Amino acid sequence: MSYQALYRVWRPQTFLDVVGQEHVTKTLQNALLQQKISHAYLFSGPRGTGKTSAAKILAKAVNCERAPVQEPCNECPACKGITDGSIPDVIEIDAASNNGVEEIRDIRDKVKYAPSAVKYKVYIVDEVHMLSIGAFNALLKTLEEPPKHVIFILATTEPHKIPLTIISRCQRFDFKRITAKAIVNRMKLIAGQTGVDYEEGSLQVIARAAEGGMRDALSLLDQAISFSRDRVTVEDALTVTGSVSQGFLNKLARAIYEKDVASGLEALEELLFQGKDPVRFIEDLIHYYRDMLLYKAAPSLEESLERVMIDEDFLQLANEMSSEIIYELIDTLNKAQQDMRWTNHPKIFLEVAIVKLCQLEKPASDQPSHDVQMLINRIEQLEDEIRQLKTNGISVGQETQNAVQNKPQRSTRRGFKAPVGRINEILKQATKPDLNVIKSSWGDMLDSLVSRQMRSQAALLNKAEPVAASSHAFIIKFKYEIHCQMAMENAKFLEAISGSLQELTGKRFEIVGVPEDQWFKIREEFLQGHHTDGKEDSTEAKEEDPIVAEAKKLFGEDLIEIKD
Amino acid sequence: MAKTWTQLEEMQPSVLKMLKNSLMKDRLAHAYMFEGMRGTGKKEVGLLLAKSLFCQNPLEGFIPCEICMNCKRINNGNHPDVHILEPDGLSIKKSQIQALQEEFSKTGVESKKKIYMIVHADRMTVNAANSLLKFLEEPSSETTAILITEQIHQILPTILSRCQTISFKPLPPQIMISQLTANGVNPSIAPMLAQLTNNLEEALELSHDDWFAQAQKIVLKLYEVLKKNPLEAMVHLQEQWFQHFKEKEQLDRGLDLLLLIFKDLLYIQLGMYEKIVYLNEKARIEQFALETSGRRLTEQMTAILEAKRKLQANMNPQLLMEQLVLQLKEGSSFV
């Protein structure tokens, strides 16, 4: 005999083994004891919840030689015969393959003959939803008033496909999804008896992935046992089920919360590289947020959490996120999940969904109406300015003075001279993420300029691009000198740009413009200076900093040349 | 061309580890569901498993020898106990499943073992799938079933729960790219091919295809026209797009290419420059990226994905593209 799958070997043989369906088994057992067995049952419920098994057990229990009993004895010839299929009076019909009127007629014809070996003739009609309409109707009369030695048990996963006239003639039992806890207990029992070594957490993972189907759980366990070396580890379980560890979900949720699209996508890439299933993953993510919501609402209800074990990261994130955001996240994910079912490229949907999630908060925070939001922004802006004035009041005063002084100077010169010192200063502190922040809101900024009736000025930026940024200043490279000059001398325009960028990014940036040809020169020099000096110099430069800074305060940076 | 164990192990290490352990421990399940994207080697692994089972003197107990009579016959597709079921026309019909069940009610011709493979299991009709259920759950002894599908989500949950699902990973793009360049494909288009398909042969074919080269140009042109003057895009559709993308598959590929442009734009905005696939047009796309915003990009990508879905639902291609163009232009109408 070749190897048999766990779910076949461990098919329940008594009502006690049919776990998680006490409401069904209790009723049936009482009916058996009181000998009030109906002539037709309908078992419905999701896959792997024990419908067919319960039907077989019932068939044994009614025919058991020790009847009335509440459990089949599994020892008498009748029970044994039914188990191994040698008794012809228990007939299991695959309704999906025999779904025509012809086959039903065949049943009808044979129903009237008395059973040959046991007390009752039991017809187990599996997958009954596949019967044709004609077949259902042919069954009606027989089902309503069969001879008293006949019991029909219909089993199906899709009760809504069954005509009401059939349902009303049966006692209907709805099987529920089996709870993860019950599945784990059953698997523990099986693993213990078959001598399989396992890690505690691995069964949890499998039970969660099985989604209430015992057969799914046992299939996965089977697979995990095959996959593992000698011990079923959590890692094996994760690989086999294609689900992801909670650490990973935490990581991604954090990236989404912090609107870090790049690391979100990176995490996703890594995940797919490990061969995880995007659809399973999105479901995991939805459940993750669902649990978070639940946890926020009722922290004490730990056992109702489905996917999440409460750990530090989760707690922290749960405290930081507001319920509204979570609602929105779940909504978006749900939509993406719907779309993913119908495509060959679920990966792309997932990517788009992640990006969307990272951009989400805007509409949520926009809720206090657009006008109010604008006012809030203005106030924030003003506050920022005041803070700046407070911290380095004098220097700001001087800078503005300088600006005033510089401006006439510049315009008297022919063409535009870029503020090299300032640019170098920015370059020193420039970082890639800052630049990306600017770049990603660049398009939005242009739009907002257009909507503020500054179309002509916005056109100046058509051929311009941000090339470097530090945390509070950035450099715009203009293709033509004249554009640069026009833009830089228009204070209102600069204010509009930095204003709209502040709205978009939440930070205030100073703007420095530079024409393309000068930019290349400056950058070249900066890079050279950086390379030849190496690290030592940069530390030295830091040490010198106070003096230089003081000098800058006094004279304005444009006028200072720093020599060693 | 049948592949050997070592070749496939390179492609799908975890799948073969799984099968190897199952064979070694003698825990081979009676039903497997092989699931994964196109070109990931599902059918090859299926045949390999068949060879492992039937081989007369396997190496180390599980690697098929490839020289015995059984291995050779399986490679040539005429072993009497290996049955491969493929869609008859567009779908797998109930009668095919019934014939299969009848065939498997008999013992094997040469040994007791029998194997059946159902290719494109997702294309089984509802009737066929339901007929398979009982047979799949409790087959006569020594039967192994292998179901192969690209779209696991369209398979009945009741079938899935009866099988051991094995996921085939897509080839990592990096490996694909290096394989392509090793095969003489221009490095500048290799990343794009790796994004479009997972099948090396298909990618190689595309790389020599004039139609494909032309398609890239037209798609890029469409994007440019969209930026400049959205209404002109309608004209562009008529003049070039429909001339070139005539068939449904071609249109699908065109939409893929269009989607890749938007993905590039997104990656540029995020600073992930190594992910860009339109290498030939990098400078221009970088410029485009400045003029758009992440939010708009995701909206546009959603629109394209939606269009792809509609295409699968047999929408009129012309209306589909026109609608898409109108959707894409929204928001980018400044200047």
Side-chain angles (χ1 to χ4, degrees):
Chain A
M1 190 67 198
S2 69
Y3 174 75
Q4 268 207 331
L6 280 181
Y7 73 79
R8 289 170 68 192
V9 181
W10 289 91
R11 208 175 245 300
Q13 297 299 344
T14 61
F15 283 118
L16 192 69
D17 289 342
V18 182
V19 290
Q21 313 293 352
E22 281 73 22
H23 61 296
V24 176
T25 49
K26 187 87 191 157
T27 322
L28 289 177
Q29 282 176 336
N30 285 341
L32 281 167
L33 280 180
Q34 297 167 16
Q35 296 196 295
K36 285 186 175 162
I37 300 156
S38 162
H39 58 270
Y41 290 94
L42 173 64
F43 291 172
S44 64
R47 81 252 117 76
T49 46
K51 298 177 296 297
T52 312
S53 304
K56 283 184 183 163
I57 297 168
L58 183 62
K60 275 191 281 185
V62 291
N63 286 321
C64 183
E65 285 171 10
R66 298 184 197 167
V69 284
Q70 57 171 343
E71 294 277 8
C73 65
N74 282 325
E75 285 162 2
C76 65
C79 285
K80 280 187 177 164
I82 293 172
T83 308
D84 61 29
S86 61
I87 289 184
D89 295 326
V90 174
I91 302 144
E92 204 180 328
I93 299 164
D94 172 16
S97 307
N98 310 298
N99 63 351
V101 183
E102 274 312 304
E103 285 88 356
I104 298 299
R105 252 183 222 150
D106 187 51
I107 295 178
R108 231 185 45 181
D109 289 345
K110 287 181 186 158
V111 153
K112 52 180 181 265
Y113 303 119
S116 55
V118 289
K119 226 162 106 196
Y120 287 99
K121 228 173 171 172
V122 184
Y123 285 89
I124 301 174
V125 189
D126 220 347
E127 319 296 344
V128 74
H129 58 273
M130 288 311 292
L131 285 183
S132 66
I133 299 174
F136 272 127
N137 287 319
L139 193 61
L140 278 180
K141 285 305 277 181
T142 323
L143 200 62
E144 187 166 16
E145 291 183 342
K148 65 177 191 309
H149 55 81
V150 169
I151 297 175
F152 280 102
I153 305 175
L154 314 181
T156 180
T157 47
E158 296 174 65
H160 54 274
K161 284 191 181 165
I162 295 175
L164 295 175
T165 41
I166 293 271
I167 293 180
S168 75
R169 283 169 171 82
C170 304
Q171 278 193 18
R172 178 170 169 184
F173 289 90
D174 279 323
F175 285 66
K176 291 185 296 192
R177 287 186 178 211
I178 305 169
T179 57
K181 212 169 157 194
I183 294 182
V184 169
N185 284 336
R186 177 89 178 147
M187 283 196 291
K188 269 186 195 161
L189 179 90
I190 292 173
Q193 296 212 358
T194 42
V196 173
D197 200 11
Y198 59 90
E199 266 176 33
E200 193 69 32
S202 60
L203 296 189
Q204 290 282 353
V205 173
I206 291 176
R208 269 183 268 139
E211 290 171 358
M214 184 62 83
R215 187 172 48 219
D216 297 58
L218 293 185
S219 280
L220 288 169
L221 181 64
D222 224 345
Q223 211 169 343
I225 295 172
S226 304
F227 187 71
S228 64
R229 282 190 171 276
D230 350 84
R231 188 178 160 84
V232 180
T233 62
V234 176
E235 197 49 47
D236 292 331
L238 287 174
T239 313
V240 165
T241 56
S243 45
V244 273
S245 63
Q246 180 164 350
F248 196 89
L249 285 173
N250 279 334
K251 200 165 120 197
L252 191 68
R254 164 107 358 226
I256 289 173
Y257 177 67
E258 282 165 2
K259 312 224 169 335
D260 189 349
V261 186
S263 68
L265 283 182
E266 248 162 59
L268 187 66
E269 195 76 15
E270 185 194 322
L271 168 107
L272 296 174
F273 182 71
Q274 288 170 12
K276 307 288 186 196
D277 173 12
V279 178
R280 171 64 47 83
F281 173 69
I282 206 164
E283 206 164 296
D284 277 349
L285 202 56
I286 291 174
H287 275 94
Y288 180 85
Y289 283 120
R290 175 246 181 218
D291 283 352
M292 189 176 280
L293 208 56
L294 213 70
Y295 177 77
K296 282 178 83 74
S300 55
L301 281 176
E302 229 176 272
E303 59 273 19
S304 58
L305 299 183
E306 271 184 21
R307 304 260 147 155
V308 175
M309 338 244 164
I310 295 175
D311 60 8
E312 200 135 305
D313 286 337
F314 178 76
L315 279 182
Q316 204 182 346
L317 212 57
N319 288 332
E320 283 169 26
M321 290 178 89
S322 74
S323 308
E324 282 76 32
I325 298 180
I326 302 180
Y327 284 135
E328 204 123 347
L329 287 171
I330 294 180
D331 225 34
T332 317
L333 284 171
N334 245 333
K335 236 178 261 161
Q337 193 194 20
Q338 290 285 323
D339 291 341
M340 275 160 82
R341 289 196 186 282
W342 305 109
T343 170
N344 281 355
H345 305 272
K347 186 185 155 201
I348 302 173
F349 276 99
L350 193 54
E351 274 176 353
V352 174
I354 297 281
V355 176
K356 258 191 206 161
L357 291 182
C358 291
Q359 299 165 344
L360 206 59
E361 206 192 9
K362 264 290 172 54
S365 68
D366 257 3
Q367 273 165 356
S369 99
H370 196 64
D371 294 344
V372 177
Q373 191 60 36
M374 264 172 63
L375 285 176
I376 292 174
N377 281 345
R378 291 287 285 274
I379 292 170
E380 275 173 4
Q381 223 167 304
L382 285 171
E383 276 176 350
D384 267 7
E385 265 165 43
I386 291 170
R387 213 171 295 137
Q388 268 183 2
L389 281 172
K390 264 188 190 163
T391 49
N392 42 6
I394 308 163
S395 74
V396 170
Q398 284 213 339
E399 255 178 45
T400 47
Q401 263 184 12
N402 283 336
V404 176
Q405 280 173 359
N406 282 349
K407 260 187 190 159
Q409 261 183 353
R410 273 180 209 156
S411 49
T412 50
R413 273 187 224 143
R414 305 188 78 196
F416 180 83
K417 181 83 175 68
V420 182
R422 183 85 193 101
I423 290 177
N424 280 335
E425 194 64 26
I426 296 173
L427 281 177
K428 246 181 225 163
Q429 294 165 358
T431 60
K432 194 104 195 174
D434 283 322
L435 183 60
N436 280 333
V437 167
I438 303 262
K439 276 193 173 176
S440 61
S441 40
W442 194 251
D444 283 335
M445 188 271 288
L446 289 180
D447 278 358
S448 82
L449 286 184
V450 171
S451 66
R452 287 186 202 187
Q453 306 298 325
M454 299 184 77
R455 199 175 277 266
S456 58
Q457 285 94 327
L460 285 176
L461 295 176
N462 262 358
K463 293 270 178 187
E465 67 173 299
V467 285
S470 66
S471 57
H472 48 266
F474 73 97
I475 305 170
I476 307 178
K477 183 194 79 179
F478 289 88
K479 185 133 196 205
Y480 304 107
E481 203 171 304
I482 182 75
H483 285 168
C484 181
Q485 192 173 358
M486 278 168 74
M488 285 302 116
E489 281 169 9
N490 189 341
K492 198 175 144 218
F493 175 54
L494 292 182
E495 179 52 38
I497 296 181
S498 63
S500 76
L501 277 178
Q502 183 174 21
E503 257 173 47
L504 293 165
T505 62
K507 276 197 250 173
R508 187 156 185 84
F509 290 95
E510 205 180 316
I511 300 163
V512 179
V514 58
E516 193 166 27
D517 40 353
Q518 292 183 35
W519 162 247
F520 288 129
K521 228 164 62 194
I522 294 169
R523 193 178 61 171
E524 194 74 5
E525 279 164 15
F526 175 77
L527 286 177
Q528 269 178 7
H530 228 65
H531 277 296
T532 49
D533 295 351
K535 276 182 189 164
E536 286 173 33
D537 203 77
S538 69
T539 50
E540 263 176 51
K542 264 185 196 161
E543 280 163 25
E544 279 173 11
D545 230 328
I547 304 165
V548 176
E550 190 62 27
K552 272 183 196 160
K553 266 188 199 168
L554 291 173
F555 301 106
E557 53 207 10
D558 288 5
L559 302 175
I560 297 177
E561 245 180 81
I562 302 164
K563 288 181 180 172
D564 270 336
Chain B
M1 181 44 208
K3 293 197 170 105
T4 61
W5 186 283
T6 35
Q7 275 174 328
L8 284 166
E9 197 159 23
E10 261 168 43
M11 277 173 79
Q12 303 289 349
S14 71
V15 170
L16 287 215
K17 182 184 165 203
M18 171 96 214
L19 291 180
K20 177 183 148 189
N21 285 349
S22 304
L23 286 166
M24 298 286 279
K25 292 186 185 175
D26 193 23
R27 297 184 58 97
L28 205 65
H30 62 274
Y32 284 101
M33 173 72 72
F34 286 178
E35 171 265 333
M37 277 168 70
R38 231 179 110 170
T40 42
K42 297 181 291 295
K43 200 172 168 188
E44 285 92 339
V45 173
L47 287 174
L48 193 73
L49 183 62
K51 280 186 274 181
S52 291
L53 281 176
F54 282 106
C55 182
Q56 285 163 343
N57 40 6
L59 314 168
E60 295 171 40
F62 60 91
I63 299 177
C65 66
E66 306 282 350
I67 43 172
C68 72
M69 190 174 65
N70 282 343
C71 283
K72 277 186 180 163
R73 281 192 299 175
I74 291 172
N75 276 343
N76 293 323
N78 51 11
H79 194 286
D81 289 334
V82 177
H83 296 262
I84 297 180
L85 202 65
E86 278 178 328
D88 173 17
L90 280 177
S91 58
I92 297 178
K93 315 280 193 291
K94 186 182 168 192
S95 58
Q96 288 177 279
I97 300 290
Q98 268 171 345
L100 189 78
Q101 290 187 17
E102 206 179 306
E103 171 65 39
F104 275 78
S105 62
K106 303 163 193 153
T107 48
V109 178
E110 295 183 356
S111 62
K112 277 189 175 169
K113 284 182 217 156
K114 282 185 130 181
I115 276 198
Y116 65 96
M117 266 160 83
I118 300 183
V119 186
H120 291 299
D122 50 293
R123 299 206 193 145
M124 282 191 285
T125 62
V126 182
N127 278 324
N130 278 290
S131 316
L132 189 64
L133 281 178
K134 295 295 279 183
F135 177 55
L136 194 64
E137 182 165 20
E138 297 190 334
S140 38
S141 63
E142 307 246 13
T143 302
T144 307
I146 301 172
L147 278 65
I148 294 177
T149 179
E150 285 162 24
Q151 289 170 308
I152 193 165
H153 307 292
Q154 294 187 10
I155 289 189
L156 280 185
T158 37
I159 288 204
L160 281 184
S161 85
R162 285 166 167 82
C163 307
Q164 286 196 13
T165 307
I166 298 188
S167 296
F168 283 61
K169 293 176 198 173
L171 215 56
Q174 269 70 28
I175 294 182
M176 184 81 181
I177 291 171
S178 59
Q179 279 186 357
L180 280 172
T181 39
N183 274 305
V185 175
N186 189 339
S188 63
I189 65 165
M192 186 188 291
L193 292 172
Q195 284 289 327
L196 284 176
T197 170
N198 228 307
N199 189 327
L200 190 64
E201 277 105 63
E202 195 184 343
L204 284 175
E205 206 170 286
L206 276 179
S207 72
H208 299 303
D209 196 352
D210 281 344
W211 180 89
F212 182 68
Q214 188 66 21
Q216 284 177 51
K217 279 193 198 118
I218 291 178
V219 171
L220 207 62
K221 186 86 199 303
L222 177 71
Y223 180 73
E224 267 170 44
V225 176
L226 262 175
K227 281 224 84 91
K228 255 193 239 137
N229 185 353
L231 290 179
E232 215 174 277
M234 292 290 190
V235 183
H236 176 78
L237 279 184
Q238 287 303 336
E239 279 178 348
Q240 303 204 347
W241 185 278
F242 289 123
Q243 304 286 321
H244 197 68
F245 299 100
K246 285 186 191 123
E247 300 298 320
K248 190 169 149 191
E249 292 79 46
Q250 293 179 331
L251 191 55
D252 197 39
R253 182 124 287 164
L255 288 175
D256 277 340
L257 285 171
L258 194 61
L259 189 65
L260 284 180
I261 294 186
F262 286 98
K263 261 174 102 175
D264 273 7
L265 291 172
L266 189 69
Y267 284 140
I268 291 174
Q269 288 210 334
L270 299 175
M272 299 156 91
Y273 288 95
E274 69 283 354
K275 293 258 175 68
I276 301 175
V277 295
Y278 278 89
L279 292 173
N280 291 333
E281 306 287 344
K282 199 169 164 190
R284 255 173 37 196
I285 288 186
E286 270 176 42
Q287 185 61 39
F288 290 146
L290 271 183
E291 294 163 18
T292 183
S293 72
R295 187 180 308 278
R296 206 186 301 143
L297 281 176
T298 44
E299 272 163 25
Q300 285 163 330
M301 279 161 83
T302 320
I304 297 176
L305 289 173
E306 179 70 17
K308 270 174 71 84
R309 197 182 62 78
K310 283 181 187 152
L311 184 70
Q312 292 310 318
N314 289 325
M315 187 175 165
N316 177 336
Q318 181 165 350
L319 293 176
L320 177 108
M321 281 312 296
E322 284 174 0
Q323 188 191 23
L324 178 64
V325 162
L326 287 174
Q327 274 173 347
L328 289 183
K329 111 186 175 181
E330 252 175 332
S332 66
S333 58
F334 75 98
V335 180

